């Protein structure tokens, strides 16, 4: 309902500006609105609107001021493409697990949309307009052959075979063609080893005509962007100039034939072509996209809107077919972007919506241009973002990655705004080697790492310090920026107080050999294009070999799956820093590559960085000035604690910091923080197991109304964990829960309680009714609970019989009683050696040769033998594992194994790594709850 409310009220927004604490969930998150497109008649705008687990593709009618949903899509199906085919038909493509899925949606008379899914082997060729009644498709046939056809749109909705006219068959791939309507030509790309050929053909033509060839190894920039006419293209290139400029390219002579536009200071990044002429060019001026108009008409158009959008960069996204309606996007360093619709006939300028509507009420940190000149005369640009609130008198110097061919910009940056909102001043610098300033400027950075590049950064810092003074200065960067941050602190120890280095390179020679891929000639050539020749690599300063000179605290962040700046860079650097007893903390992620791919994890990472800065610089904690601010800071503490606690997030969970954050949250009155402290004490995460302390934390959290804590407390009393078993108390606790939403742990506990200690006939009935409902919602947990009930001596026999009957009928179990014919049993580990073709295989721990994972497994492999001739019937076994410490039960789990008896059954329990004092026991029961066999596994 909320989605349609926002869509229908698309013009309403607040103009009241706040300057207080901003919720990181609003700053570091995906935009709520995105991917806008204008219909050919200019009357409709489509966009996507995100929700918690899905997003809507929405159509908004500008004239009627009405929005309608086209399709609701799950977040796992990313929108790959979306555009109008004609005024009433929309095309969109979604990412699938095996195949991408294409759809055509047609607007009906009621204004709603009717969709049809296209054949999975079809690819709609972008750009074709034709008569508006057909789509142009490329259809995969076999090997590298694709059939290009026209398909009647109306026939797609007829529930009959679509009407298709085959035009020709081509070996140009489906993803390598588009239609250029300005010259009525189909454009195709064909890639070979070191070059790509661009060709064209008419739909009625008999062959492809080569237009131009681009060589991947060419150092100069060259990129075609459109046509002026059939024989002249527009290209961006710096073949004949220092700066990337806009040129004509003659298709007859196969060469650049004339300059259209060039800038003396900056590289051109784009050019807009309309009706056979270049009407505007774009380049990054002082870090912002700058659109320079080459036609008086478009310059006048810009002037008409300049008053409305003062200080913002206005970009034309789309124009209707009559050139009367414009879809515009406006953004600035303090504004992520807003979309507008402009009708030049009515002179009507309409605000549509912002990417982040919830940020519209906040006044974000502004950014100042810093200009400086290096000692050798190089002109440099930097950007200083200063906090509006909570100023902590701390400068964060943030070198960008690359270092060659990458640039920083003065545009909206989520993490910069969060750092500024938390009181930090942030400086970014486009040092030598950065893109956007010409190829000579870029070449100056090759091989300059650890020296001239860092000298450029220091030059800009000096310029900043002429105007401002700071109590603390830290360096923070990712990729090359991580390397640069470390080198700044090593080279200038008196100027820097700490370092945050993420996903960085710290061993320059290792760049050339960190993987087989890095050893390939073409990749080594790319590395040399950044750091200099391979022969000179050993002479370049590497933090790994200079670790003894780093005398400030460092926060190392890395991803185990990083194959750009290989994880081993960070791992080696950490080991060497430890050898020199340096103050180092790590954040090594298990499933992350070269940077975060999820907003939630990016937010956690940034919050962890802010905490590191606060602790190492002894900065006072932010004091909330309102209940909203208190709630924000408390929730951020909980989020950060979750990252340090979760065993599937970091290579090594940091339970000490998890407890630190949860305690701070609890001090702010957080019920969730108290609950988390209870879990830490109950399971002994980083501390000795203390069940009494756990119970106290659960009790305090329960008194604040926290549902999870009530369930945890009830489970302690039900199972007698650290307390006497009191089922009456369990009833009282569960009765105090007022929430009605589904809660798996609570539901399964109620199932156990009502089956073993019912207080009424209603409870007894629920014992038999709940499994039927629960098994549909959470089958694995329900079946495990039923297995526990069947084995437990506390379950009345009559209840057991009914549960056994339910399970037997649910899974069509033919027979219950069996014996085990054991093949393997005991403590095993995954091992790798030539005898297995270098594949991992579970072997007895004493037979292991090369172990890639030290986690031991309590393993069973056996045939299940039914009495008499079974003929491969289906049966089931209840499997239980228990972990004991000093003879006391620490943990256990039940599951139900089921299947045919014709194959061996395998069961493995991963034992807690490093917990050598734990003894594991595996027990096998039949479906009557009778013990069939058991064995023990040592974890030492």
């Amino acid at each position: 309902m909320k989605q349609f409310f926002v869509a229908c009220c698309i013009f309403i927004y607040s103009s009241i500006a706040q300057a207080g604490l901003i919720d990181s969930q609003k700053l570091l998150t995906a935009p709520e609105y995105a991917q806008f497109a204008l219909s050919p008649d200019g009357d409709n705008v489509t966009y996507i609107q995100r929700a918690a687990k899905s997003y809507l593709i929405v159509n908004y009618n500008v004239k009627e001021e009405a929005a309608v949903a086209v399709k609701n899509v799950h977040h796992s199906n990313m929108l790959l493409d979306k555009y109008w085919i004609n005024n009433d038909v929309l095309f969109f493509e979604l990412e699938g697990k095996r195949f991408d899925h294409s759809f055509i949606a047609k607007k009906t008379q009621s204004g709603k949309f009717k969709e049809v899914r296209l054949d999975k082997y079809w690819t709609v060729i972008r750009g074709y307009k034709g008569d508006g009644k057909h789509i142009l498709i490329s259809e995969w046939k076999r090997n590298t052959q694709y059939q290009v056809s026209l398909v009647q749109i109306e026939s797609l909705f007829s529930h009959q075979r679509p009407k298709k006219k085959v035009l020709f068959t081509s070996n140009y791939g489906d993803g390598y063609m588009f239609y250029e309507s300005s010259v009525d030509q189909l454009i195709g790309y064909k890639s070979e080893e070191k070059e790509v050929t661009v060709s064209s053909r008419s739909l009625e033509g008999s062959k492809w005509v080569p237009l131009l060839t681009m060589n991947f190894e060419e150092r100069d920039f060259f990129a075609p962007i459109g046509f002026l006419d059939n024989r002249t293209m527009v290209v961006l290139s710096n073949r004949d100039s220092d700066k990337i400029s806009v040129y004509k390219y003659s298709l007859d002579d196969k060469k650049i034939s004339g300059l259209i536009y060039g800038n003396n200071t900056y590289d051109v990044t784009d050019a807009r072509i309309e009706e056979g002429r270049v009407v505007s060019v774009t380049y990054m001026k002082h870090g912002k996209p700058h659109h320079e108009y080459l036609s008086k008409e478009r310059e006048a158009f810009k002037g008409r809107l300049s008053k409305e959008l003062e200080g913002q960069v206005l970009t034309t996204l789309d124009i209707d077919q009559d050139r009367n309606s414009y879809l515009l996007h406006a953004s600035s360093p303090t504004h992520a972007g807003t979309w507008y619709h402009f009708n030049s006939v009515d002179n009507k300028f309409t605000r549509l919506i912002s990417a982040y509507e919830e940020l519209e009420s906040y006044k974000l940190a502004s950014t100042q241009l810093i200009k400086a000149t290096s000692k050798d005369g190089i002109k440099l640009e930097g950007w200083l973002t200063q906090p509006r609130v909570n100023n902590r008198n701390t400068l964060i110097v943030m070198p960008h990655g690359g270092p060659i061919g990458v640039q920083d910009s003065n545009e909206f940056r989520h993490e910069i705004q969060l750092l500024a909102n938390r009181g930090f001043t942030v400086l970014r610098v486009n040092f030598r080697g950065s893109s956007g300033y010409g190829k000579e400027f870029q070449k100056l950075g090759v091989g300059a790492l650890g020296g001239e590049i860092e000298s450029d950064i220091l030059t800009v810092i000096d310029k900043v310090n002429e105007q401002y003074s700071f109590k603390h200065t830290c360096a923070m960067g990712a990729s090359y920026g991580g390397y640069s941050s470390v080198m700044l602190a090593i080279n200038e120890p008196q100027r820097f107080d700490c370092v945050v280095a993420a996903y960085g390179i710290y061993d320059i020679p290792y760049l050339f050999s960190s993987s087989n891929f890095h050893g390939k000639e073409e990749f080594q050539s790319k590395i040399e294009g950044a750091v200099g020749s391979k022969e000179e690599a050993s002479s370049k300063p590497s933090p790994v070999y200079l670790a003894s000179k780093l005398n400030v605290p460092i926060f190392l962040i890395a991803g185990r799956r990083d194959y750009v700046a290989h994880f081993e860079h960070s791992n080696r650097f950490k080991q060497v820093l430890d050898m020199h007893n340096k103050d180092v903390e790590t954040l090594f992620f298990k499933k992350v590559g070269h940077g975060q791919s999820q907003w939630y994890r990016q937010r956690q990472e940034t919050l962890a960085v802010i905490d590191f800065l606060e602790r190492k610089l002894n900065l006072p904690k932010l004091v909330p000035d309102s209940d909203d601010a208190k709630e924000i800071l408390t929730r951020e503490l909980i989020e950060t604690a979750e990252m340090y606690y979760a065993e599937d997030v970091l290579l090594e969970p940091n339970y000490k910091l998890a407890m630190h954050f949860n305690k701070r949250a609890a001090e702010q009155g957080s019920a969730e923080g108290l609950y988390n402290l209870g879990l830490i004490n109950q399971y002994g995460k980083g501390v000795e197991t203390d069940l009494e302390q756990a119970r106290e934390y659960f009790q305090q959290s329960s008194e604040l109304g926290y549902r999870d804590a009530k369930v945890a407390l009830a489970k302690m009393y039900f199972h007698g964990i650290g307390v006497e078993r009191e089922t009456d108390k369990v009833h009282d606790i569960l009765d105090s829960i007022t929430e009605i939403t589904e809660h798996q742990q609570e539901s399964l506990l109620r199932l156990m309680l009502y089956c073993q200690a019912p207080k009424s006939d209603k409870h007894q009935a629920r014992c038999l009714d709940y499994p039927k409902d629960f098994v549909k919602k959470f089958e694995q947990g329900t079946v495990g609970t039923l297995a526990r009930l069947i084995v437990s001596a506390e379950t009345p026999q009559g209840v057991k019989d009914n549960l056994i009957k339910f399970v037997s009928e649910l899974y069509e179990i033919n027979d219950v009683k069996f014996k085990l014919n054991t093949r393997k049993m005991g403590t095993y580990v995954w091992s790798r050696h030539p005898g297995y073709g270098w594949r991992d295989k579970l072997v007895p721990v004493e037979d292991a040769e090369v172990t890639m994972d030290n986690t031991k497994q309590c393993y069973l492999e056996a045939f299940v033998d039914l009495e008499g001739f079974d003929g491969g019937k289906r049966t089931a076994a209840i499997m239980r594992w228990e972990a004991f410490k000093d003879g006391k039960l620490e943990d256990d789990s039940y599951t139900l194994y089921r299947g045919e008896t014709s194959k061996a059954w395998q069961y493995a329990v991963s034992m807690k790594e490093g917990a050598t004092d734990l003894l594991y026991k595996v027990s096998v029961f039949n479906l009557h709850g009778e013990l069939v066999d058991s064995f023990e596994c040592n974890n030492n």
Side-chain angles (χ1 to χ4, degrees), residues 570-587:
S570 297
N571 194 36
R572 289 183 182 185
F573 194 27
K574 162 66 164 60
Q575 292 175 11
V576 176
L577 288 167
D578 284 339
M579 288 170 55
H580 290 284
N581 297 312
K582 298 300 181 179
D583 185 353
V584 56
E585 289 185 19
T586 61
L587 205 60

Side-chain angles (χ1 to χ4, degrees), residues 720-735:
I721 303 172
V723 295
E724 292 293 324
R725 188 171 193 259
E726 294 184 54
T727 56
D728 286 343
K729 198 170 187 68
V730 178
H731 278 286
D732 292 340
I733 295 171
L734 294 182
D735 288 344

Side-chain angles (χ1 to χ4, degrees), residues 440-554:
E440 291 304 318
F441 184 89
Q442 190 165 308
K443 287 178 182 178
L444 288 172
V446 178
L449 67 170
E452 292 94 336
I453 286 178
E454 283 60 46
S455 179
D456 287 347
I457 296 171
L458 292 170
T459 296
V460 180
I461 294 175
D462 289 338
K463 194 70 175 180
V464 170
N465 287 334
E466 291 177 7
Q467 304 177 57
Y468 309 98
S469 61
F470 301 94
K471 184 177 180 180
H472 306 287
T473 300
C474 291
M476 181 170 79
S479 194
Y480 176 81
Y483 166 92
S484 182
S485 297
V486 176
M487 292 307 304
L488 284 168
I490 288 174
N491 293 338
E492 299 286 331
Q494 74 284 357
R495 301 184 67 167
F496 291 89
D497 301 299
C498 70
V499 172
V500 178
Y503 314 100
I505 55 169
Y506 310 110
D507 187 343
I508 302 305
Y510 183 62
L511 280 173
F512 293 92
S513 59
S514 53
S515 71
N516 290 337
F517 181 71
H518 285 69
K520 291 184 177 180
E521 181 181 346
E522 60 268 28
F523 198 87
Q524 296 216 352
S525 176
K526 290 182 180 179
I527 296 173
E528 289 181 329
V531 305
S533 68
K534 183 177 180 180
E535 292 73 21
E536 297 174 351
S538 60
S539 65
K540 302 297 180 184
S542 291
V544 163
Y545 310 114
L546 299 171
S548 63
K549 296 183 179 181
L550 182 66
N551 295 314
V552 297
I554 180 171

Side-chain angles (χ1 to χ4, degrees), residues 28 42 104 229 232 290 311 382 446 452 572 578 618 648 664 668 676 679 724 787 792 832 848 929:
L28 266 71
I104 294 287
D229 54 49
T232 310
H290 179 76
V446 178
E452 292 94 336
R572 289 183 182 185
D578 284 339
N618 293 315
D648 64 336
R664 286 181 58 191
Q668 297 294 322
N676 291 338
L679 292 177
E724 292 293 324
S792 175
R832 180 179 298 183

Side-chain angles (χ1 to χ4, degrees), residues 233 235 240 246-250 255-261:
M233 293 190 74
V235 300
D240 301 327
V246 186
Y247 292 95
K248 295 178 182 179
Y249 182 88
S250 170
K255 66 179 183 180
I256 289 174
S257 58
L259 176 68
I260 297 175
Y261 176 88

